[in-house]
Amino acid sequence: MDILARPLLFANMACIWIYIVLWQGAHRFYIESFGTWVISPVIYTRLCPQDYKYGLLKALNSGPALGYLLCGIPVGMFAVACALGVVAYRRRSFPFALLACVIMSTIFVTYHSVKHMGMTLVMD
């Protein structure tokens, strides 16, 4: 099974590259990524279960620190996914490769499907 670690990593990188370069375009991806990163607290509020939504909104309204922390989550997830990918590549470890790909795919699916949640970013 460990023989599949590197092909899985390469397939994940290829899919991300195809999405960025061929599907979205590098400039549009950059603008969209920055916009979704900036509105991370709003995204979490939309994804939050209804029972916890009021508490999250109240905490976000009370001070900017939580909003800054929430903006750091995707950056941290990206760093963890890259580190796991490097470890998986060096050790040929399929579990690490799978975890790295799941984390990276979660970032892309969540942050780049915001337009399907009824949110749009307009920049002039």
Side-chain angles (χ1 to χ4, degrees), residues 37-54:
W37 177 67
V38 168
I39 63 168
S40 287
V42 176
I43 294 170
Y44 295 125
T45 304
R46 290 290 298 260
L47 295 174
C48 187
Q50 192 64 33
D51 296 340
Y52 302 105
K53 200 171 282 196
Y54 177 76

Side-chain angles (χ1 to χ4, degrees), residues 46-85:
R46 290 290 298 260
L47 295 174
C48 187
Q50 192 64 33
D51 296 340
Y52 302 105
K53 200 171 282 196
Y54 177 76
L56 178 60
L57 286 171
K58 188 174 178 182
L60 284 169
N61 194 33
S62 67
L66 181 61
Y68 298 146
L69 181 66
L70 291 178
C71 285
I73 288 175
V75 177
M77 288 174 66
F78 180 78
V80 167
C82 288
L84 286 171

Side-chain angles (χ1 to χ4, degrees), residues 19-52:
Y19 175 78
I20 292 172
V21 176
L22 300 179
W23 191 340
Q24 292 289 335
H27 180 69
R28 181 175 176 192
F29 175 78
Y30 171 75
I31 298 296
E32 195 174 272
S33 296
F34 181 73
T36 54
W37 177 67
V38 168
I39 63 168
S40 287
V42 176
I43 294 170
Y44 295 125
T45 304
R46 290 290 298 260
L47 295 174
C48 187
Q50 192 64 33
D51 296 340
Y52 302 105

Side-chain angles (χ1 to χ4, degrees), residues 36 43-44 47 105-114 117:
T36 54
I43 294 170
Y44 295 125
L47 295 174
S105 297
T106 300
I107 295 169
F108 272 82
V109 167
T110 303
Y111 284 88
H112 296 284
S113 64
V114 212
M117 291 192 296

